[in-house]
Amino acid sequence: MRIGMVCYPTYGGSGVLATELGQELARRGHSVHFITYAQPMRLDRFQENIYYHEVETPSYPLLEFNLYTLALAGKILDVAKYEQLDVVHVHYAIPHAISAHLAKEIAAQSHPFALVTTLHGTDITLVGMEPTFHPLVKYSLEKSDAVTAVSRYLHEKTRQGFGSDLEIQAIPNFVDTSLYVRSTNESLERRLRCGDEWILMHVSNFRPVKRVQDCIRILAEVRTKLPARLIFVGDGPDRSEAERLTRELGVEEHVTFLGKQSALPEILSVADIFLLPSQQESFGLSALEAMSCSVPVVATNIGGIPEVVKHDETGFIAELGDVQRMAKYCVELLINPKKLAAFRTNARRRAVENFDIAMIVPMYEQLYASLNVGPQLTTNE
Ligand code: GMT
């Protein structure tokens, strides 16, 4: 099949997921055309069957505001026509689903394609609920040929917020468990771990919903019992406040900010516990990637997290903001080597058995095939 993949390239899990999906579809022989405003973060090597089309937004003195939504529609139209796309698969509804719908309408007679929209989280739970956007999102979901959500939680939330008659398929996020696997890297270990400190880790884009400050409070609490270090991977709006809080709590010597990094499996392999104290999380892809590297997760009982992290088995789940309890769970694991080892094994097993890329990507292939598009339609043109 010829698939157009539309996503946010640089920021967050929806772009990561779209890129990994596109790469796996390309390995399976499909042609995948990424259509977005910058090179997707994890699309950093040449791969057969992968193409990238950059969306450029024209500027003109009259156009005070960026017209990305329209520029994207125009680009989708162009790629659909010249690359004869069978499917355009958009990730994160706003504004991608609207742009793709507009392109689909214009292309309806000359080069029809199917539109698949995958919902990731705040496109439904936060931004999509804005009164200005809500009717647009609802309309674009109704007009998509298929809508998927990355968890059962998000599936339910979407039906509650946008209509119980909407047909939505829950297809969980996935991880390449052959890439995300625990490895030993002694020099990295030496650089990241100081002495006998346990390592807590958090990976995110530091948006307020991630509550990175809670990670620091958890560290401070754990340190009253055990030597521990917190390693942050990623960057974003709350980083400065996080740095300030480390100083306020007197733990600045025990917190490392690595910033944005691409060698995630190696870095995750150094962690003893992954922290995800989020306020909103439709799935928690970063937790899954950690679990795949045999790292147990301590997280909040929020959104789709319990679908990923099994309480008292692959990690622990606590109420939002309950820093004391999350710290207690960390200590409980760290002082009990047998339990920590068992949780590590369970975490890895859960990732492999339930969320491996080889199990989930065929679900998308089946979905595309069910839309009656593909080579059999294009041969008559
Ligand atoms: O919805 C967002 O806030 C953005 C989105 C993203 O692109 O980072 O994150 C969501 O999608 C991820 C991939 O499906 C999920 O793992 C995250 O849980 C989800 N984030 C939220 O729901 C806050």
Side-chain angles (χ1 to χ4, degrees), residues 11-14 92 120-122 150 173 207 280-285:
Y11 204 68
S14 60
Y92 203 91
H120 280 270
T122 51
V150 298
N173 282 336
R207 281 175 301 160
Q280 281 201 18
E281 208 67 72
S282 69
F283 183 89
L285 186 57

Side-chain angles (χ1 to χ4, degrees), residues 8 11-17 92 118-126 150 153-154 173 205 207 209-210 276 278-286 305:
Y8 283 112
Y11 204 68
S14 60
V16 167
L17 199 278
Y92 203 91
T118 290
L119 306 170
H120 280 270
T122 51
D123 46 351
I124 290 301
T125 57
L126 218 63
V150 298
Y153 158 80
L154 189 60
N173 282 336
N205 45 28
R207 281 175 301 160
V209 288
K210 300 292 176 184
L276 193 63
S278 303
Q279 180 179 331
Q280 281 201 18
E281 208 67 72
S282 69
F283 183 89
L285 186 57
S286 58
I305 291 179

Side-chain angles (χ1 to χ4, degrees), residues 83-292:
E83 302 295 344
Q84 300 190 323
L85 297 182
D86 304 303
V87 180
V88 171
H89 187 169
V90 303
H91 294 261
Y92 203 91
I94 305 168
H96 304 149
I98 281 290
S99 301
H101 169 63
L102 181 55
K104 182 176 153 79
E105 284 290 295
I106 299 170
Q109 299 307 319
S110 52
H111 38 280
F113 59 82
L115 169 56
V116 176
T117 300
T118 290
L119 306 170
H120 280 270
T122 51
D123 46 351
I124 290 301
T125 57
L126 218 63
V127 193
M129 295 309 278
E130 292 276 336
T132 329
F133 292 145
H134 186 276
L136 300 173
V137 173
K138 187 170 182 333
Y139 179 78
S140 67
L141 299 187
E142 287 162 358
K143 291 294 177 185
S144 297
D145 295 292
V147 177
T148 74
V150 298
S151 60
R152 293 194 300 276
Y153 158 80
L154 189 60
H155 173 275
E156 216 25 60
K157 267 285 186 215
T158 311
R159 285 165 61 105
Q160 279 167 16
F162 294 86
S164 54
D165 48 345
L166 267 179
E167 219 172 280
I168 306 165
Q169 191 179 342
I171 301 184
N173 282 336
F174 56 82
V175 62
D176 186 339
T177 59
S178 65
L179 281 181
Y180 279 77
V181 62
R182 200 168 187 97
S183 60
T184 314
N185 182 335
E186 282 171 11
S187 79
L188 190 66
E189 205 37 74
R190 269 197 304 277
R191 279 159 60 199
L192 294 182
R193 196 187 292 272
C194 294
D196 60 351
E197 285 179 338
W198 293 100
I199 293 190
L200 312 181
M201 195 172 282
H202 174 81
V203 180
S204 80
N205 45 28
F206 283 60
R207 281 175 301 160
V209 288
K210 300 292 176 184
R211 291 182 65 118
V212 290
Q213 291 88 338
D214 280 2
C215 295
I216 299 163
R217 294 193 181 97
I218 293 169
L219 173 82
E221 201 51 44
V222 169
R223 280 192 58 80
T224 62
K225 305 274 185 314
L226 296 167
R229 165 166 300 272
L230 172 63
I231 297 183
F232 277 121
V233 181
D235 211 329
D238 274 359
R239 172 153 170 189
S240 306
E241 172 53 24
E243 286 175 346
R244 192 203 58 75
L245 187 62
T246 62
R247 291 187 287 273
E248 184 186 310
L249 298 182
V251 290
E252 70 272 28
E253 297 297 317
H254 306 283
V255 180
T256 308
F257 289 87
L258 289 179
K260 291 181 186 171
Q261 298 285 335
S262 52
L264 273 184
E266 289 92 325
I267 296 172
L268 283 167
S269 295
V270 177
D272 295 302
I273 292 178
F274 187 85
L275 300 177
L276 193 63
S278 303
Q279 180 179 331
Q280 281 201 18
E281 208 67 72
S282 69
F283 183 89
L285 186 57
S286 58
L288 176 60
E289 291 179 338
M291 283 164 55
S292 188

